[in-house]
Amino acid sequence: MTEVSKKAIVLFLLVALTTACFLPMSVHANEKVKTYIIYDSPTRYGDDFPLVTSLIEYLGHFDLTCQAITLDAWRPGVLHNADLVIFVGLNEATLPQQLLQEMAQAKRVIWFEKNIEQMAAYLKWQDFKLEGTVNGWSTIHYQKDLLIKDWMNIVIAHPGKNARVFATVQNINDSKPLAWQRDNIYFCGYLEVNGQSFMVALGNLLHQFIPDNNHSSVHHALLRIEDVSPLVDPKAVRAVIAVINQYRIPFTIGVIPVGVAQNGKHIPLHEAPELVTVLKEAQANGASIIMHGYTHQNEYSPKTGEGYEFWNARDDKPMENDEIFTSERLEAGIAELVRCGLIPVAFEPPHYSMSKTGYQVLSRYFNVFSGLVQISDKSTHLSLALPYIVKSQYLNGMQVIPENMGYYDGKAFLVESMLQSSEQLLTVRDGFACFFYHGYLPPTKLPAIIEGVQKQGYTFFDLRQLPIRVQSSQIKIIGQNGQFHVNIDERLQAAWDKTPATNNLLEKIGTVHIVVLLLIIVMLMLIIIRLRANSNKHYELNYEQLQK
């Protein structure tokens, strides 16, 4: 075994040992809360959005072992050793008495929406009152008011005197309990994840409901420079980075390894040496590189930086031969970045669109994911924003760094609305705010966003501090605390060494050589002109002599 291999194994073991305790996301592994999720339906009636799957993603922020069971599949005795039971009642149903008994004996029960009156009757809450499903609410009040764009249908249940109310819903005329606790039952009259207010409310209530979480109140933010490809002007990217560097904060860059020009020509990053220099300087000064797809386009949406890549946008469905398609592009993208001296620490799919199969493949290559999570193969529009970092069950254990502030485009997304989103996320105990800014835009609005987030109390997060694992068939990257070990297959390295760094003749020659070549050409032209002039003059003299 070589010395390099031994060092790689030691570094890998250090990363593995520290992964479980690195972030304040969870308690120690031997203290996991055994959790069962009982649900009657994965979605609301007439809706495709997978609410239960989304709830499980939210739970990935906590140190739980989760097992989801449909109400029909439940059998007596299943919950006998449960630390935590989560019941999701999206429909009215008659619950078995033994199920109620097992939930009543659990250490804690979190109950969403319907059928709570059956548990109240079993526990003999005499002063409990079910008001039913009531609509017309415009505000959730939890620590501060969260305005709701669409009026909600809320299950209103009055828990009685021996209860603690966490949150209420309000309209112009009235206020009713939304979330409360009585005995071992923690109730919320509405389960929703779509929309900033619902995301923030659920993220905070889960901190209140789930026992023994040791999450700190530190709030982190992440800045990502977006859509940096070989087609982008490196001077524009450098200008954006220069503004960020004034604040001495860590940041990330979403890099597209290959650009596809309008004529269909593929331009790899190593053929854009000026851009590579900009990115390597940024990396050396603390920036983290995120692999943002391979070409950020495909046959159905062919423009790099605007097109989808791992999703058929024309038909709104997964790509054909999804597993092979995804694997080939991940292999090629990792290789191109490493060839240029860049270390990808995370992956971000273009437009956050990827199938379940794609995620399975991706999790074999990366352990950190950046962005929204497409939570269903039915449509790319079924995506989930999160208020904090999670270990995703849907993404096979990948760590998800959320994006939840949007981005500045001067149109739909403005600085003010972005800062309103980050302000709301402060109500979540360890809320994590993330936004991005396109690398080709003038950086004039960046100071207002950075300073606004800092004034709100956020600290910018360094992605390199996470335990990092990136692995392809020929490249292995492991790292933590900003220290990385990159192992490259010798045959791949040899192929790079044999191939010129660029195929562009003018770039090979260099600017100085071009000037010299032009001067030589001009001198040759002058010599030719002078020779022709002398030749004509000699001809004229000979002609005159002949005449004499």
Side-chain angles (χ1 to χ4, degrees), residues 522-540:
V522 170
M523 290 175 65
L524 287 172
M525 291 179 66
L526 290 173
I527 292 170
I528 291 169
I529 292 170
R530 188 165 182 177
L531 287 172
R532 285 184 176 177
N534 290 337
S535 176
N536 291 336
K537 192 172 182 180
H538 180 70
Y539 172 79
E540 289 173 358

Side-chain angles (χ1 to χ4, degrees), residues 272-520:
E274 186 179 349
L275 179 60
V276 170
T277 299
V278 171
L279 295 175
K280 289 178 71 173
E281 288 175 355
Q283 179 179 254
N285 290 323
S288 298
I289 303 300
I290 295 176
M291 180 174 159
H292 188 26
Y294 177 54
T295 61
H296 203 312
Q297 56 82 240
N298 59 32
E299 60 184 299
Y300 304 109
S301 46
K303 189 172 183 180
T304 289
E306 294 184 11
Y308 290 71
E309 183 168 1
F310 300 96
W311 190 257
N312 177 349
R314 185 191 66 187
D315 303 317
D316 197 18
K317 67 178 185 179
M319 295 294 291
E320 299 83 356
N321 301 315
D322 209 1
E323 183 172 356
I324 296 173
F325 180 89
T326 302
S327 180
E328 289 177 346
R329 290 189 169 224
L330 292 174
E331 289 275 351
I334 293 170
E336 181 62 28
L337 291 175
V338 174
R339 176 178 185 171
C340 294
L342 302 174
I343 300 175
V345 301
F347 186 83
E348 174 202 353
H351 299 296
Y352 307 131
S353 297
M354 184 171 263
S355 70
K356 178 69 171 172
T357 297
Y359 286 142
Q360 290 173 349
V361 175
L362 177 63
S363 65
R364 299 199 294 262
Y365 288 85
F366 288 87
N367 72 327
V368 179
F369 178 95
S370 177
L372 306 183
V373 177
Q374 182 175 327
I375 206 74
S376 170
D377 281 358
K378 290 186 176 181
S379 174
T380 184
H381 302 295
L382 301 176
S383 294
L384 179 68
L386 293 157
Y388 37 50
I389 295 176
V390 306
K391 185 176 182 180
S392 169
Q393 181 170 314
Y394 196 76
L395 273 64
N396 301 304
M398 293 185 73
Q399 203 163 29
V400 175
I401 311 299
E403 187 267 289
N404 44 33
M405 284 178 61
Y407 62 98
Y408 174 80
D409 65 355
K411 299 174 184 176
F413 294 95
L414 301 174
V415 172
E416 293 76 14
S417 59
M418 294 172 66
L419 293 177
Q420 287 173 4
S421 296
S422 56
E423 180 72 27
Q424 284 192 339
L425 284 162
L426 287 172
T427 63
V428 181
R429 185 181 302 176
D430 51 355
F432 192 103
C434 175
F435 67 95
F436 63 89
Y437 198 98
H438 284 105
Y440 49 77
L441 289 178
T444 52
K445 297 296 181 180
L446 258 178
I449 304 172
I450 294 172
E451 292 171 15
V453 167
Q454 287 180 326
K455 287 177 182 177
Q456 290 172 345
Y458 285 93
T459 301
F460 279 90
F461 186 71
D462 189 347
L463 209 57
R464 301 171 307 158
Q465 301 305 306
L466 294 174
I468 300 298
R469 173 191 60 78
V470 180
Q471 180 170 336
S472 69
S473 62
Q474 295 180 297
I475 297 171
K476 294 179 177 61
I477 302 170
I478 53 175
Q480 188 172 332
N481 297 327
Q483 301 297 315
F484 293 93
H485 177 83
V486 182
N487 191 343
I488 305 170
D489 183 89
E490 292 180 358
R491 290 168 296 180
L492 179 62
Q493 184 66 63
W496 291 345
D497 293 341
K498 289 180 181 178
T499 306
T502 174
N503 293 322
N504 188 304
L505 179 60
L506 293 181
E507 289 173 353
K508 286 183 187 177
I509 297 172
T511 305
V512 175
H513 294 83
I514 292 173
V515 172
V516 172
L517 182 61
L518 289 174
L519 288 173
I520 292 172

Side-chain angles (χ1 to χ4, degrees), residues 223-249:
L223 162 58
R224 189 175 73 229
I225 303 176
E226 193 77 328
D227 289 341
V228 177
S229 80
L231 305 182
V232 173
D233 182 2
K235 294 181 178 61
V237 179
R238 187 184 290 277
V240 172
I241 292 173
V243 170
I244 298 173
N245 284 340
Q246 293 175 10
Y247 294 91
R248 300 180 181 276
I249 59 173

